[in-house]
Amino acid sequence: MTRSCLIFTALAWLLLTARVSACVDDDVRIAELAVQQGRDDISACVDVLGGCALQDQMGQTLREVCCQTCSDNDVGNGVVETSLPGTDETIQVYLLAGQSECTGQAEATDLDADSQGYPELQGDIPGVWFAGYASPAAADRFFIAPMNAGTDRSMFGPEISFGERMYAVTGKRTLVMKYCVGGSQVFSQWNPEEADNMWDTSADDGSAQWMADNAGLDFNSKTHLFKNMVYTIRKTKEALTNGGVPHEWAGIVWVQGQGDLKWGDWKVFGENTARVWNGFRQHIGSDDVPIIDTGCSTHNQLKSGKEYATQIVKGCKAKNVEFALASNDDTSDCVPGPTETCQDATNMHTNVGPSLYYGYDPRFPEAERLCQGASCKEFNWYRKFPENLHSAYEGMILKGRMLANAFLSEFTSATIPSAFLDEDVARRFPWNRCPDGTLPSDGNFCWIDYRDESVITSSELCNTTSNTGGGTTDDSSATGMMVGQGLGMILGTAIGLFFFV
């Protein structure tokens, strides 16, 4: 290669590197701007929704501060071509919905670069399909294609590892239909009884096209989420039916919680959550399709509300699953959130067991001091600790697998390989209910149940204490594991807050 060619190549590489490195979301800045504007629904760039397309000063600011997210949400991005599953076998369809952790901020490029650690999640995942929207979401940007991280946007949520795990265990073709919106809540935005989520059902012919023409869909608004979801359900049904693909609705995966911290106590949150689930089931056309749920983080009121929702949802068959990264004794005013670790607050009790077992986040405080020896590993838990506590690619993979394992165990008779359960974060580090009169503490990672005793013990509500499906393992020693938690309890000092949103 000539000297001039070498110089040209070097300059081109520098320009490309500068362009890529400059396009990084500034989640701290957007959170500060949101506070200034009185917007409590925006904690990171993942929550800005359609703001990137605004042709005013706000839109310009968002495009500068949230460069990567706005690049994903550029209306000039192409629409993904639909590629349906074959028609020879019934496909299992799962609805995935929720807020920012459901949307996901795990980098597809990070997963692509770790082919040795996660070979089964590379490229098009065999037996698994995705249904949803090419970013930015809009009625005419719906597609179905083989599951592949980065197809719809540059980041992913729990759909990748959830879908792969469901197919790996059941051998049944799997499709995950996804519609998630960051910073959203069930009090009004997902509420099917709010005016913005209602339409003239007497004139409705039941088709997606009718909704697109008449129902007032708005994918740039957070007040039309339930309505948008019904449209998404119809698009999925129609695409599969028209393509001759046999299918059945197998489950609902719900990843949401922190958007409702200010909208009432456990009872209000539980009722609002169950209302949304009931609405999903109604429009899916199954009154008892199983529901697996997560997203309360360390918030005891939210956890209590989620448990209540599983008790009162019509048709029962709903299960919440979380794991013990930290516990909150509610004795301090510090409220953990996507950009607030509360790492020095006395109310937070951190379980370092998960980090000792899976590995330390590279940016975690004192990781080098605590992580010593050849057995110490690095694990990408967070998008950018401590500024953005949404899951990075390894934390997200762990979460998707946790949801799948819980669904399989709770609602199916499938045999789950012991190797899968051995690595399950909720089984290895369970977040159990605190015994009456006991608060969480260092070494006692539990959640405070605020439900009334009459609710907890009611025989008239759904029973959520037992395995309803009878999922099994190929090795009985895989259940009830606490391996590594003892050491985590010993070292459970408040060196930072491990938590997902």
Side-chain angles (χ1 to χ4, degrees):
M1 183 179 291
T2 65
R3 184 173 183 273
S4 60
C5 286
L6 286 171
I7 293 173
F8 178 80
T9 301
L11 287 173
W13 173 250
L14 286 172
L15 288 171
L16 176 62
T17 303
R19 183 162 59 249
V20 173
S21 62
C23 197
V24 176
D25 287 345
D26 188 344
D27 291 304
V28 173
R29 181 59 179 151
I30 197 62
E32 293 171 348
L33 292 172
V35 171
Q36 293 173 14
Q37 296 294 320
R39 293 289 299 271
D40 59 6
D41 64 325
I42 296 177
S43 63
C45 288
V46 69
D47 299 333
V48 301
L49 198 57
C52 296
L54 295 174
Q55 298 303 309
D56 54 18
Q57 183 60 46
M58 180 180 294
Q60 181 178 340
T61 299
L62 287 173
R63 289 188 290 274
E64 292 172 355
V65 177
C66 298
C67 176
Q68 182 179 4
T69 292
C70 287
S71 178
D72 273 352
N73 290 339
D74 189 333
V75 294
N77 292 341
V79 179
V80 180
E81 183 177 354
T82 285
S83 177
L84 294 175
T87 60
D88 57 333
E89 181 184 345
T90 299
I91 194 164
Q92 307 295 301
V93 183
Y94 297 87
L95 180 157
L96 171 62
Q99 57 180 105
S100 55
E101 185 74 350
C102 179
T103 302
Q105 288 197 281
E107 292 279 0
T109 53
D110 289 341
L111 174 57
D112 293 342
D114 197 356
S115 58
Q116 184 174 357
Y118 302 96
E120 70 282 5
L121 301 178
Q122 300 298 312
D124 290 352
I125 300 174
V128 187
W129 277 260
F130 174 93
Y133 299 94
S135 187
D140 59 352
R141 297 178 65 82
F142 177 86
F143 73 96
I144 296 177
M147 183 72 77
N148 187 322
T151 297
D152 58 318
R153 51 194 286 272
S154 67
M155 294 170 275
F156 64 91
E159 66 276 3
I160 301 295
S161 55
F162 175 86
E164 190 279 331
R165 177 57 53 87
M166 295 301 295
Y167 178 70
V169 172
T170 66
K172 298 178 180 179
R173 295 191 308 174
T174 298
L175 183 147
V176 181
M177 186 203 76
K178 176 178 177 178
Y179 177 60
C180 312
V181 176
S184 57
Q185 36 85 349
V186 294
F187 179 78
S188 61
Q189 294 167 343
W190 286 99
N191 188 341
E193 297 178 2
E194 286 289 311
D196 282 348
N197 278 319
M198 301 176 73
W199 63 93
D200 185 358
T201 55
S202 64
D204 186 356
D205 67 5
S207 70
Q209 189 60 54
W210 187 94
M211 290 198 75
D213 294 339
N214 303 287
L217 303 176
D218 189 347
F219 284 85
N220 289 320
S221 167
K222 291 185 181 179
T223 64
H224 296 67
L225 303 186
F226 184 83
K227 183 186 295 184
N228 295 342
M229 173 57 85
V230 175
Y231 172 79
T232 308
I233 291 170
R234 292 186 183 184
K235 286 290 287 186
T236 302
K237 286 181 177 180
E238 292 171 10
L240 295 174
T241 300
N242 293 340
V245 181
H247 59 280
E248 61 183 19
W249 290 92
I252 293 171
V253 184
W254 181 248
V255 184
Q256 192 273 340
Q258 291 204 91
D260 285 86
L261 277 173
K262 76 169 190 176
W263 296 104
D265 63 4
W266 63 268
K267 191 172 188 294
V268 172
F269 177 56
E271 290 170 347
N272 291 337
T273 299
R275 182 185 300 113
V276 176
W277 293 350
N278 290 336
F280 288 165
R281 283 176 164 174
Q282 175 189 347
H283 288 279
I284 282 174
S286 173
D287 293 336
D288 62 353
V289 62
I291 300 169
I292 203 71
D293 163 58
T294 195
C296 65
S297 182
T298 61
H299 301 288
N300 297 302
Q301 286 283 350
L302 295 183
K303 173 63 174 173
S304 301
K306 283 179 172 290
E307 293 293 335
Y308 183 51
T310 67
Q311 291 181 285
I312 63 174
V313 65
K314 296 177 182 177
C316 300
K317 294 179 70 174
K319 181 74 171 180
N320 171 260
V321 59
E322 313 284 349
F323 61 103
L325 285 167
S327 288
N328 186 348
D329 65 25
D330 288 347
T331 60
S332 171
D333 293 333
C334 189
V335 179
T339 59
E340 173 56 69
T341 65
C342 291
Q343 64 186 60
D344 296 320
T346 58
N347 58 304
M348 298 308 304
H349 306 281
T350 303
N351 182 6
V352 299
S355 287
L356 290 172
Y357 183 77
Y358 298 101
Y360 279 90
D361 187 272
R363 290 171 57 91
F364 192 73
E366 302 189 61
E368 292 185 2
R369 179 178 68 83
L370 292 170
C371 186
Q372 299 177 5
S375 62
C376 198
K377 298 173 289 187
E378 184 177 286
F379 192 86
N380 289 272
W381 288 97
Y382 303 111
R383 169 82 172 168
K384 189 179 181 182
F385 186 93
E387 293 92 345
N388 186 339
L389 301 182
H390 292 91
S391 294
Y393 81 104
E394 289 189 285
M396 187 60 75
I397 291 169
L398 201 64
K399 175 164 288 183
R401 289 172 173 172
M402 174 192 76
L403 290 165
N405 290 341
F407 189 97
L408 290 162
S409 178
E410 189 72 18
F411 302 119
T412 79
S413 59
T415 298
I416 308 171
S418 59
F420 291 172
L421 296 179
D422 286 345
E423 294 297 311
D424 185 274
V425 66
R427 287 175 175 258
R428 195 167 278 278
F429 302 101
W431 199 36
N432 296 319
R433 179 175 178 263
C434 294
D436 292 341
T438 302
L439 292 178
S441 61
D442 294 342
N444 181 30
F445 307 110
C446 59
W447 61 276
I448 302 169
D449 195 343
Y450 285 112
R451 290 175 296 170
D452 300 333
E453 186 64 26
S454 60
V455 171
I456 297 173
T457 59
S458 175
S459 60
E460 299 179 358
L461 301 179
C462 302
N463 180 1
T464 62
T465 60
S466 63
N467 185 319
T468 60
T472 61
T473 171
D474 62 7
D475 182 352
S476 60
S477 66
T479 59
M481 297 176 301
M482 294 290 287
V483 179
Q485 189 171 9
L487 184 56
M489 290 178 175
I490 295 172
L491 296 177
T493 55
I495 58 175
L497 172 60
F498 290 87
F499 99 116
F500 289 155
V501 292

